[in-house]
């Protein structure tokens, strides 16, 4: 009887184990071999990499043709993730909690090799590249200038003595004046007295010239020289003084002569008027050379330097061009126009350039030597810097930060750092590449695995974290908040 009971117990134990094994085998999901999963080809959208299909077709979001997922150049796979939930990551292939096949995350990720786009997609996007080359940059700055009188060529005629204007030899504003030409005649009692003193000093010197005492003769000579100097300080010409000495006759009026040539730009006196010492009578300007003050905007200042050649065009003179030179750049900025004044010196022998006239100014500037340059369309501007996309070959592109310089009129911009000669940069559709790069970078941040042995601490007091339940996403691989912000910017 005991033997029968033992046999029955063994049979029940073997049957129960078989049923438990069958039940466990039916409920556990089959894990496919790595080789079989790696050989399976899936299709994705180059603009929306989270779209994955088992067969070719069109992207449900943008309508672009799906392209096959290519394996990494090294042939290895780092992780496997869910196509519907990027936070669901496993070390081996299989299915996610929703029943979708896990897709491989290639070794290195988007951060190490930029982004990879299928050639057909590149053609549909219209991506074009150009080589980084050395060239000579040139730019022609066109602006408007205002003709003014040169400050160092303006003169004022003043009376150094009180008196009356007996006669005006120059009686019109705008009248041309030559150097040494008589301007006006002045009657002044002080001038009459000074002439008499001079004649007395000359006569006294003649009487004492034969004195046996040399000191007396020298004193008479010094007295004559003092009287002559007094007349000279009142702008009496040496010729008038010699005439006075030869004739011995005191003149009622003495003439003032112009010490500079030019044009009378201001006349403040009339014949018969009484004048005071220090009063301005006339203003004379030499217009043989004039200034043209041109407005240069802030962004054009790197191209403008002192000594550059300038072409000044007169709009009312049938397009006549006059050559000039930049003589000075003013150190201050005009607050209203945000411009800097450039002083241009222009020869004006025919007096075609008149003060207060507007003129068109052209400044041809260039970089001193050849420099690295790329098309302006290749540059992406952001609040923090400038970026270009470099073509790495085989459909791969990587963003790179650069520092730029001046921009010429042909659309090329100088590159100071960040690129080397011969590299290829994207010059069209780079905004789409920028979107793709940001998306893949954000996904790469979210998919970064935790270090082995690292246990995330709970956000606050409470019970310990429970293990993952069947049918729910794992709790140990949460997406990064900053990465999500970058993804949806």
């Amino acid at each position: 009887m005991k033997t029968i009971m033992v046999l029955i117990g063994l049979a029940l134990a073997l049957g129960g184990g078989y049923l438990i094994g069958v039940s466990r085998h039916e409920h556990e999901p089959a894990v496919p071999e790595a080789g079989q999963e790696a050989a399976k080809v899936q299709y994705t959208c180059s603009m929306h990499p989270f779209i994955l299909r088992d067969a070719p077709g069109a992207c449900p979001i943008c309508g672009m043709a799906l392209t096959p997922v290519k394996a990494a150049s090294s042939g290895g796979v780092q992780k496997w993730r869910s196509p519907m939930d990027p936070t669901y990551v496993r070390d081996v292939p299989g299915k996610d909690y929703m029943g979708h096949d896990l897709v491989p995350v290639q070794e290195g990720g988007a951060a190490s090799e930029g982004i990879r786009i299928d050639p057909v997609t590149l053609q549909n996007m219209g991506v074009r590249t150009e080589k980084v080359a050395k060239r000579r940059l040139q730019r022609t700055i066109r602006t408007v200038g205002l003709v003014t009188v040169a400050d160092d060529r303006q003169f004022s005629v003043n009376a150094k003595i009180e008196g009356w204007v007996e006669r005006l030899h120059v009686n019109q504003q705008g009248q041309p004046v030559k150097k040494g030409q008589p301007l006006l005649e002045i009657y002044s009692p002080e001038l009459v007295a000074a002439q008499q003193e001079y004649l007395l000093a000359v006569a006294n010197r003649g009487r004492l010239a034969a004195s046996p005492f040399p000191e007396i003769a020298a004193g008479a000579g010094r007295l004559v020289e003092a009287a002559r100097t007094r007349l000279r300080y009142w702008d009496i010409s040496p010729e008038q003084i010699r005439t006075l000495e030869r004739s011995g006759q005191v003149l009622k009026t003495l003439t003032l002569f112009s010490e500079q040539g030019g044009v009378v730009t201001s006349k403040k006196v009339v014949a018969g008027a009484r004048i005071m010492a220090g009063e301005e009578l006339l203003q004379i300007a030499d217009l043989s050379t004039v200034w043209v003050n041109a407005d240069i905007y802030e962004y054009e200042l790197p191209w403008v330097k002192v000594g550059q050649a300038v072409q000044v065009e007169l709009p009312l003179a049938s397009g006549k061009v006059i050559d000039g030179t930049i003589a000075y750049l003013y150190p201050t900025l005009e607050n209203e126009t945000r411009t800097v004044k450039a002083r241009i010196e222009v020869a004006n022998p025919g007096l075609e350039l008149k003060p207060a006239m507007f003129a068109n100014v052209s400044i041809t500037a260039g970089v001193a030597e050849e420099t690295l340059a790329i098309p302006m369309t290749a540059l992406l501007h952001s609040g923090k810097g400038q970026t270009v996309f470099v073509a790495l070959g085989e459909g791969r592109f990587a963003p790179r930060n650069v520092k730029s310089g001046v921009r010429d009129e042909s659309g090329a911009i100088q590159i100071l750092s960040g690129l080397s000669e011969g590299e290829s940069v994207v010059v069209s559709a780079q905004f789409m590449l920028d979107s793709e790069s940001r998306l893949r970078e954000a996904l790469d941040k979210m998919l970064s695995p935790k270090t082995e042995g690292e246990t995330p601490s709970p956000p606050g007091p409470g019970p310990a974290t429970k293990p993952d339940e069947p049918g729910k996403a794992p709790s140990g691989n949460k997406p990064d908040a900053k990465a999500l912000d970058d993804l949806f910017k």
Side-chain angles (χ1 to χ4, degrees), residues 338-362:
R338 310 304 301 169
T339 57
V340 172
K341 295 289 185 183
R343 181 199 300 167
I344 303 169
E345 289 188 357
V346 181
N348 189 30
L351 303 184
E352 293 179 303
L353 292 173
K354 297 174 175 52
M357 177 185 289
F358 285 103
N360 297 325
V361 177
S362 297

Side-chain angles (χ1 to χ4, degrees), residues 109-127:
S112 60
E113 62 172 1
I115 57 176
R116 185 189 298 271
I117 300 179
D118 184 79
V120 178
T121 305
L122 286 178
Q123 185 175 3
N124 294 335
M125 294 169 58
V127 176

Side-chain angles (χ1 to χ4, degrees), residues 37-357:
E37 187 69 17
K40 184 177 180 180
V41 178
Q42 289 191 323
Y43 297 83
T44 184
C45 175
S46 59
M47 301 304 298
H48 306 91
F50 54 85
I51 300 297
L52 290 167
R53 297 291 184 267
D54 295 332
C59 175
I61 298 178
C62 63
M64 298 179 64
L66 300 180
T67 57
V69 178
K70 296 182 179 180
S73 58
S74 59
V77 176
Q78 184 180 11
K79 293 291 180 181
W80 298 78
R81 66 173 175 86
S82 169
M84 304 304 295
D85 184 1
T87 64
Y88 190 93
V89 182
R90 290 294 181 267
D91 295 330
V92 295
K95 295 181 179 295
D96 62 5
Y97 56 89
M98 292 178 284
H100 299 94
D101 292 332
L102 301 181
V103 296
V105 180
Q106 303 296 341
E107 186 76 28
S112 60
E113 62 172 1
I115 57 176
R116 185 189 298 271
I117 300 179
D118 184 79
V120 178
T121 305
L122 286 178
Q123 185 175 3
N124 294 335
M125 294 169 58
V127 176
R128 295 185 298 105
T129 61
E130 286 192 20
K131 295 284 187 181
V132 181
K134 287 186 175 181
R135 66 183 71 181
R136 194 175 168 84
L137 303 180
Q138 289 188 346
R139 185 183 184 95
T140 300
I141 300 173
R142 295 177 174 85
T143 183
V144 177
L146 182 66
V147 181
T148 61
V149 180
D151 291 346
D152 56 351
R153 293 177 178 268
Q154 297 187 71
F155 311 98
S156 176
V157 178
N158 292 276
K160 297 180 174 61
I161 192 172
E162 182 181 353
W164 286 263
V165 177
E166 291 289 327
R167 182 183 178 186
L168 278 175
H169 294 280
V170 176
N171 199 20
Q172 298 177 8
Q173 184 173 344
Q175 182 177 345
V177 175
K178 295 181 180 180
K179 184 177 181 179
Q181 178 179 338
L183 298 176
L184 50 87
E185 295 180 8
I186 299 178
Y187 162 70
S188 172
E190 294 185 43
L191 275 177
V192 172
Q195 293 180 75
Q196 292 174 344
E197 291 177 2
Y198 179 73
L199 292 177
L200 291 175
V202 171
N204 187 48
R205 182 185 61 181
R207 288 194 301 269
L208 299 178
S211 174
F213 302 99
E215 294 83 2
I216 296 177
R222 287 195 297 270
L223 185 60
V224 172
E225 188 63 30
R228 181 186 293 112
T229 301
R230 186 180 183 188
L231 292 173
R232 289 289 298 119
Y233 286 169
W234 282 340
D235 292 338
I236 305 303
S237 65
E239 180 62 30
Q240 293 183 90
I241 297 174
R242 286 194 292 268
T243 301
L244 174 64
E245 186 175 350
R246 286 196 303 267
S247 65
Q249 298 293 326
V250 176
L251 300 177
K252 177 184 176 183
T253 61
L254 291 178
T255 305
L256 296 183
F257 295 87
S258 176
E259 297 182 0
Q260 302 290 336
V263 176
V264 177
T265 57
S266 176
K267 173 179 169 291
K268 301 179 180 180
V269 65
V270 294
R274 182 185 180 185
I275 58 176
M276 305 299 292
E279 181 180 350
E280 184 179 69
L281 307 178
L282 302 170
Q283 282 189 1
I284 300 175
D286 181 7
L287 301 181
S288 61
T289 298
V290 295
W291 289 353
V292 179
N293 291 327
D295 293 325
I296 307 298
Y297 287 102
E298 292 180 78
Y299 68 90
E300 296 173 331
L301 285 177
W303 293 94
V304 181
K305 295 178 177 58
V306 175
Q308 283 181 327
V310 178
Q311 290 76 42
V312 179
E313 180 181 351
L314 303 180
L316 300 180
S318 302
K320 183 176 181 180
V321 177
I322 302 175
D323 295 331
T325 305
I326 297 179
Y328 185 69
L329 290 174
Y330 287 82
T332 57
L333 191 73
E334 298 289 339
N335 189 37
E336 295 79 7
T337 60
R338 310 304 301 169
T339 57
V340 172
K341 295 289 185 183
R343 181 199 300 167
I344 303 169
E345 289 188 357
V346 181
N348 189 30
L351 303 184
E352 293 179 303
L353 292 173
K354 297 174 175 52
M357 177 185 289

Side-chain angles (χ1 to χ4, degrees), residues 309-435:
V310 178
Q311 290 76 42
V312 179
E313 180 181 351
L314 303 180
L316 300 180
S318 302
K320 183 176 181 180
V321 177
I322 302 175
D323 295 331
T325 305
I326 297 179
Y328 185 69
L329 290 174
Y330 287 82
T332 57
L333 191 73
E334 298 289 339
N335 189 37
E336 295 79 7
T337 60
R338 310 304 301 169
T339 57
V340 172
K341 295 289 185 183
R343 181 199 300 167
I344 303 169
E345 289 188 357
V346 181
N348 189 30
L351 303 184
E352 293 179 303
L353 292 173
K354 297 174 175 52
M357 177 185 289
F358 285 103
N360 297 325
V361 177
S362 297
I363 305 173
T364 302
V367 178
E369 56 186 12
E370 291 188 345
T371 181
L372 288 179
I374 61 173
M376 185 65 188
T377 55
L379 207 60
L380 292 174
H381 295 271
S382 65
K384 296 182 179 179
Q386 298 169 324
T387 307
V388 298
F389 274 88
V390 181
L392 304 178
E394 300 180 358
R396 293 184 298 117
F397 302 90
R400 187 179 300 176
N401 294 328
V402 297
K403 183 179 180 181
S404 64
V406 295
R407 174 185 176 183
D408 72 351
E409 58 188 359
S410 66
I413 189 167
Q414 182 184 24
I415 296 298
L416 302 177
S417 63
L419 291 175
S420 301
E421 185 178 6
E423 291 186 301
S424 296
V425 295
V426 179
V427 297
S428 66
Q430 62 268 43
F431 289 99
M432 303 178 74
L433 296 179
D434 186 44
S435 307

Side-chain angles (χ1 to χ4, degrees), residues 441-455:
E441 181 182 2
L443 288 175
D444 185 66
K445 290 180 181 179
M446 290 194 299
L447 298 178
S448 299
K450 299 288 184 181
T451 307
E452 293 186 5
E454 179 182 354
T455 303

